Structure formats: structure tokens, C-alpha cells
Amino acid sequence: MEHVQQLLNQYGLVLTDFAPNNEMLALMPTILKSSISFANVTINQEEVVLIDTSAELNEDHLIQLIQLLKNVPLPIIFLADSFSIDTQMLLTKNQFGFISQMGFYLPSLKPVKVTKPTMQLISLSKNQQIIILALIYWKLLHDDDSNTFHIKVRQLADYLNITAMTISRALRTFVDAGWLATSGYTRNHSFSIPTGYDLNSWVNEILRLLPSPVQKTLYVPINQIEQIEEKKLASLTALSKFTLIAPTTLVSWAISNNQLTDELKQANLPEFNARLTPKNNAAVEIWKYDSQVFNQLLPKNYQLAVDPVSLFLSLRNSHSKEVTEQLNKLLENLVNQH
């Protein structure tokens, strides 16, 4: 039912009832049974028979199915990832509806206008920003393409080394702000992308609301940064590892704010001086959080540098068109791994 609702959501169609119809399926030829399913459903408050067709149902068998059902006195809607133009014409000729990734035709139903809920801008703590980024990575790299997050609070806590109570509070804050939807507020309830959003539009809207993780930048002699073990490449240095951006002569590193020592503060140079001798100095970004926290969620090839979504947030206000284009490419490559 979930994948059906997800497809209907694209067109503002609301599914309220879903009951498998095995009686109609039993009347079908054996050759068709394994590739279709029947359900009595209510869409936009109208009762119809929904026929979900799998990719294994070839064009000839689909035509055979249409012929078998064309005299059935029930409103019927076919569901599939895609239908050919010829099949669409045959369906509409027989007054059957259809819904696919490419479009829909419903003889009697009128779409209900679904207004996307407004996401509120909220002031995020360090842990809250980590948690929402972790949910993005989980959805893109580990979960399926439904709107529901198939991860428990305890599991997320283990990944991030953040207490389950802190995560539960953060999820409640996200629900109240319209960033997530949930069936309840306890850690045993599921949470999901809000109705009206698909994965991509949800990610884009969340990114619009997130601040840069960079609090300030220091310029220090290289020997100062070499002493810090938990650091990652940052800024254009990191972006050059994943895109066509050329690496800068002055290497940039990121460290979390709890690694900022008095010694580093005292070693801070004017940016101009540091760039005059880039081989002897480095740029050090002081981050709100440590991007090492996402190591268990990210592929190995992303772990030399700061995590890609945080990198996007740290550079998105760049005035360089090339940087903006490559940042978008960085996120596209991440989404394409889904």
C-alpha cells in the first residue's frame, strides 16, 4: 500500500482505504496472476478497483488483461511505473483510468489539491543538526524510496553516539516544525517525510533551512594543524576531491569547536599573510560539530573530507558560479547512489 500512496501523492490523490481483492485475482488466467494484484480502494472519496501491474507484465499480457476486464461494470484504475502511448490509448478508449510515474488519467476522479506544509525555520542545536543530516544520509544511502524512515531511534543513537532521549526530543521538534511527520511521539512510532513532499523536494527544502556548520576560520602554520588527529579536508580542498574544482594552494581543514585550543588561537595569522606562503600554512575551519560523526553512514570514499551535505552548506554562499555548479553536482552524485 505504501508505494501506491507514494505514487498517488505526486498527483494530489488521497488513498484512504486499501483491501486486497483476491476474488477478482482468482478469476484471472494463470499466466497473468503472478504479475498483477487487485485491491478495492478509496481514492479521493471514490471507491474503485485498483490493479497494480508489475514490470514482468509484458505489453501483450496487459492488452489481454484489458480485454478481459473491459465489460466489468466497475470503475477500474491501472497502476504501473510506466505505460506505453498505445496502452494509454487503449485504456482511455475502454474508460479505464491509469496512474504511472509519467502521468495519470482518471475518468471520474478529480485530484484534491495538496498544499505542501510550510517548514518553519528553527534554531538548531549541534545535535539537532547532526540528527537531521543523519536522516538525510540514511534515506539517500541506506533506506528505500518510500517516505517512511525505516530506522529506529535506538539504531540512530548507536550510529551517532547521541542518546535516544536526545534524538526523540529532536524528532519531536522536527515534527512540530513541519520537517517530519509521525504516527506518534514515542520512540516506537515511525516517522516520515511529510505529505506533499517526495525525497528530493524534502531534501532541498531542509537544506534551505540549515545553517553553515562553519563558525569561523583561522590561518595557522602547518605544524599546528599536523598535531590534530581528528581533522578532515574542508572547503575547496574537499570539493576538489569529488568534483572538477581545482585544488587550492592553501589547504583547508575542518576541526570541531571542542578542538580549538588557546595555542591555535595564538598561532592565528592574517589571511593575507597565510596566502603569501601557502605551503607553510593552512586554513582551519572551526565547525559546530565533528563531521566524523557520519562515518558509519557514509561510503569510505567520502571519509577523507567533511561530509558532502555539510560541505554544500559551508560553501553554498560562494559567489563563484563554478563552485555553485560543482556543489550541485556533488549532491546529485550523492542522490544518484540511492
Side-chain angles (χ1 to χ4, degrees):
M1 175 178 173
E2 193 168 295
H3 80 282
V4 175
Q5 181 64 80
Q6 185 180 8
L7 187 54
L8 296 180
N9 283 346
Q10 296 182 27
Y11 306 113
L13 302 172
V14 181
L15 180 69
T16 52
D17 293 301
F18 185 100
N21 187 330
N22 295 321
E23 291 79 9
M24 285 190 71
L25 182 62
L27 298 174
M28 294 296 106
T30 303
I31 198 169
L32 299 178
K33 287 182 180 179
S34 61
S35 304
I36 59 175
S37 63
F38 287 81
N40 297 326
V41 304
T42 301
I43 300 177
N44 289 14
Q45 300 181 345
E46 293 198 38
E47 296 180 359
V48 300
V49 176
L50 186 70
I51 305 176
D52 194 353
T53 62
S54 70
E56 288 73 30
L57 186 69
N58 63 40
E59 199 81 4
D60 289 339
H61 289 159
L62 181 56
I63 292 172
Q64 180 185 359
L65 178 60
I66 293 170
Q67 295 296 329
L68 286 170
L69 295 172
K70 67 179 182 179
N71 294 319
V72 173
L74 296 170
I76 291 176
I77 295 175
F78 284 75
L79 185 78
D81 288 339
S82 64
F83 292 110
S84 71
I85 296 298
D86 288 342
T87 301
Q88 292 180 36
M89 292 178 64
L90 183 58
L91 287 170
T92 56
K93 180 181 177 181
N94 288 280
Q95 287 299 296
F96 291 143
F98 64 83
I99 303 171
S100 75
Q101 298 285 358
M102 308 304 293
F104 72 100
Y105 168 71
L106 302 173
S108 61
L109 299 181
K110 293 182 179 180
V112 171
K113 184 177 181 181
V114 174
T115 303
K116 289 183 179 179
T118 301
M119 294 189 188
Q120 300 174 22
L121 179 63
I122 55 178
S123 177
L124 294 172
S125 68
K126 175 185 73 173
N127 283 337
Q128 286 173 332
Q129 186 148 347
I130 288 171
I131 291 163
I132 196 64
L133 290 180
L135 290 177
I136 290 174
Y137 286 130
W138 177 263
K139 204 62 188 159
L140 290 177
L141 300 173
H142 303 280
D143 213 343
D144 60 24
D145 58 0
S146 70
N147 273 19
T148 300
F149 290 87
H150 299 96
I151 185 171
K152 300 295 184 184
V153 169
R154 173 56 63 185
Q155 187 180 1
L156 194 57
D158 290 342
Y159 277 126
L160 302 177
N161 196 27
I162 295 175
T163 67
M165 183 178 295
T166 298
I167 291 177
S168 293
R169 283 200 302 263
L171 294 176
R172 185 159 59 248
T173 298
F174 297 153
V175 170
D176 291 341
W179 293 24
L180 293 174
T182 184
S183 58
Y185 281 136
T186 74
R187 66 184 63 176
N188 293 323
H189 285 73
S190 64
F191 47 98
S192 62
I193 294 170
T195 301
Y197 291 91
D198 59 17
L199 176 58
N200 286 341
S201 63
W202 176 76
V203 169
N204 288 333
E205 186 68 11
I206 292 294
L207 292 183
R208 188 182 67 81
L209 298 171
L210 295 182
S212 169
V214 181
Q215 296 180 319
K216 60 182 174 179
T217 302
L218 306 181
Y219 299 89
V220 301
I222 284 180
N223 66 319
Q224 294 289 332
I225 192 66
E226 286 177 344
Q227 300 172 23
I228 301 176
E229 293 183 3
E230 292 186 357
K231 61 182 183 292
K232 290 199 174 187
L233 294 174
S235 192
L236 297 181
T237 306
L239 189 60
S240 70
K241 297 297 180 182
F242 304 110
T243 68
L244 299 178
I245 289 290
T248 56
T249 52
L250 185 72
V251 176
S252 294
W253 295 94
I255 63 174
S256 62
N257 56 11
N258 60 12
Q259 295 173 294
L260 177 58
T261 62
D262 290 337
E263 189 177 2
L264 271 179
K265 293 177 184 177
Q266 293 168 4
N268 188 28
L269 303 169
E271 180 180 354
F272 178 78
N273 293 356
R275 293 191 183 280
L276 281 178
T277 54
K279 291 185 179 180
N280 299 326
N281 300 300
V284 181
E285 292 182 351
I286 311 303
W287 277 39
K288 179 195 295 187
Y289 51 85
D290 185 356
S291 68
Q292 309 257 3
V293 72
F294 304 115
N295 282 357
Q296 290 192 67
L297 296 170
L298 291 169
K300 293 291 185 183
N301 61 307
Y302 281 107
Q303 296 188 15
L304 173 67
V306 295
D307 68 283
V309 175
S310 295
L311 179 60
F312 173 88
L313 296 174
S314 72
L315 287 171
R316 67 174 168 192
N317 291 327
S318 169
H319 297 293
S320 166
K321 180 180 178 182
E322 182 184 12
V323 169
T324 300
E325 289 175 348
Q326 294 304 313
L327 282 173
N328 290 332
K329 179 64 69 175
L330 175 71
L331 291 188
E332 286 174 11
N333 291 340
L334 186 68
V335 170
N336 289 338
Q337 296 191 42
H338 180 64

